[in-house]
Amino acid sequence: MKQTISYKKFFINYAIFIGILAVLLGILIYTTKITQKSWSKNLKKSIELVLDESDPSVWFITNELKIKNAFTLNAACYEARNKKNGQFYKAIIINTQTIYGPIPAVFIMDRNGEVQFIGYSSVHGRVREQLMNDTNNKRIKYWKKKIPYIIQQ
């Protein structure tokens, strides 16, 4: 006895499956959009903390600048004003590989494209000292050269 499935039943099952996928995709997109503002705010705070550890009460971080390339998943850029000289800079936070795994690093770029490494976010104590004392860090040198191309607008 052969059992055949009618086209009507097949398309009903297919529509139910596609509907479930669409609902799951909608939930995923909705949660991503909701958390985007919080994510941006927390990245801004991370940059502020690193800049304050380096130079207390010198930097003022303003609005987020959109990065228009594939690095938007690993980097964020904010406009920063130096309170001492009044000039505007770009503050960049980007994931860098270290001996302890990927750690976000904070850089400052001036109008001329000069990039300066400030420090690592969320790292303190002996680990921070060890990472900061590595003056010949090739990864930091790499990002210092690469950041002006990433931030181009």
Side-chain angles (χ1 to χ4, degrees):
M1 200 155 123
K2 249 186 179 178
Q3 192 174 19
T4 59
I5 298 176
S6 70
Y7 287 116
K8 184 178 180 182
K9 189 168 185 165
F10 170 77
F11 283 118
I12 289 172
N13 289 339
Y14 187 70
I16 290 170
F17 176 72
I18 295 296
I20 291 170
L21 285 180
V23 167
L24 290 175
L25 183 64
I27 291 170
L28 183 66
I29 290 171
Y30 178 72
T31 56
T32 302
K33 286 295 182 185
I34 285 177
T35 60
Q36 191 171 18
K37 189 174 183 177
S38 170
W39 179 261
S40 176
K41 188 172 114 179
N42 289 332
L43 283 176
K44 183 178 173 181
K45 281 184 183 178
S46 293
I47 292 174
E48 287 174 344
L49 288 173
V50 172
L51 291 174
D52 278 342
E53 285 177 0
S54 174
D55 284 332
S57 301
V58 173
W59 295 97
F60 179 71
I61 308 297
T62 58
N63 52 346
E64 182 178 11
L65 303 172
K66 296 293 179 193
I67 299 173
K68 298 175 184 173
N69 59 33
F71 280 96
T72 57
L73 297 176
N74 284 330
C77 180
Y78 292 84
E79 198 170 75
R81 186 175 63 85
N82 188 321
K83 293 177 186 176
K84 285 183 181 176
N85 61 16
Q87 292 185 354
F88 284 92
Y89 295 82
K90 292 179 181 174
I92 300 100
I93 187 167
I94 190 164
N95 271 339
T96 58
Q97 187 63 33
T98 67
I99 59 174
Y100 297 104
I103 297 176
V106 176
F107 297 87
I108 291 290
M109 186 174 80
D110 64 10
R111 292 181 195 189
N112 302 328
E114 280 293 315
V115 178
Q116 179 185 358
F117 171 66
I118 303 299
Y120 293 100
S121 175
S122 306
V123 178
H124 304 286
R126 199 176 336 164
V127 174
R128 183 181 184 280
E129 287 178 26
Q130 185 178 15
L131 289 173
M132 293 301 289
N133 289 336
D134 186 8
T135 57
N136 198 17
N137 191 336
K138 292 181 181 178
R139 290 176 186 96
I140 295 299
K141 289 179 183 178
Y142 168 80
W143 286 115
K144 284 172 104 174
K145 290 179 186 175
K146 193 77 171 167
I147 284 176
Y149 300 108
I150 294 171
I151 305 302
Q152 284 180 359
Q153 296 201 16

